Amino acid sequence: MTISMSSASAPIFVSTLRALTKCIGKARAHAEAKKFDPEVFVTVRLAPDMLPFKAQVLIACDSAKGCVARLSGVEAPVYEDNESTLAELEARIAKTIAFIESVPAAKLNGTEEKSISVPRRGFDPMQFTGESYLTTFALPNFFFHATTAYALLRHNGVDVGKADFLGGGK
């Protein structure tokens, strides 16, 4: 039996985004226990030249919704990218999950050979088949940003571990 494009995409995105929401909740609880403003997490960075936590969450969401939209042929929702609080980031994740879950598996399945074009600012678009787009670009990009968001929280003292990232934490 082969793996389907729907099972290799949507549930993976949703599971990781739900785990990220739980990590944000742990960040809020950590800040409250330590008596500091939890919104400081929105702008934390590992290095001065990297994108902050907020951007990592936004890009993870955009990567997931963009992948599902491109593969399925469904129009992706457009978000304003104006989130500035943890609650707004959680709402962004929830909207992204709702979009992904609204796309029927049948629209994703059978897209292995579909031509996918990904625009890039100042460069020619990247060209893929559906399967290569999912496996060599969309999933790695999504996990890069989701992992970086997790690492930013962990680096800043939030008690999250591998089980939290994988969705099995308390």
Side-chain angles (χ1 to χ4, degrees):
M1 181 175 189
T2 59
I3 190 168
S4 70
M5 291 293 281
S6 63
S7 67
S9 59
I12 293 168
F13 293 135
V14 168
S15 174
T16 301
L17 289 170
R18 284 189 175 132
L20 185 54
T21 297
K22 288 181 182 178
C23 289
I24 292 171
K26 283 189 160 196
R28 185 179 291 105
H30 173 74
E32 290 167 2
K34 297 287 186 177
K35 301 194 183 335
F36 67 86
D37 181 3
E39 302 311 329
V40 301
F41 288 116
V42 173
T43 59
V44 295
R45 303 169 188 256
L46 290 173
D49 65 345
M50 78 177 291
L51 295 172
F53 178 78
K54 167 190 168 173
Q56 303 301 332
V57 173
L58 299 185
I59 295 169
C61 288
D62 288 350
S63 181
K65 75 179 171 87
C67 176
V68 169
R70 284 185 185 98
L71 289 174
S72 69
V74 172
E75 188 73 29
V78 176
Y79 304 146
E80 292 184 36
D81 294 343
N82 60 357
E83 293 82 359
S84 61
T85 67
L86 293 178
E88 290 170 347
L89 292 174
E90 289 169 314
R92 170 73 167 254
I93 293 169
K95 288 190 304 190
T96 302
I97 290 170
F99 166 71
I100 293 168
E101 290 180 331
S102 76
V103 176
K107 287 197 167 277
L108 294 164
N109 291 333
T111 60
E112 294 85 350
E113 298 303 319
K114 180 179 181 176
S115 292
I116 302 291
S117 181
V118 179
R120 299 185 297 171
R121 280 180 249 146
F123 297 96
D124 290 336
M126 294 183 290
Q127 304 297 326
F128 300 94
T129 64
E131 182 179 8
S132 67
Y133 168 64
L134 175 63
T135 61
T136 69
F137 183 79
L139 284 170
N141 187 56
F142 171 75
F143 279 117
F144 175 87
H145 292 286
T147 302
T148 302
Y150 159 85
L152 284 163
L153 296 179
R154 181 73 182 103
H155 176 74
N156 282 278
V158 179
D159 186 19
V160 291
K162 184 177 178 181
D164 296 294
F165 182 80
L166 296 176
K170 295 179 184 179

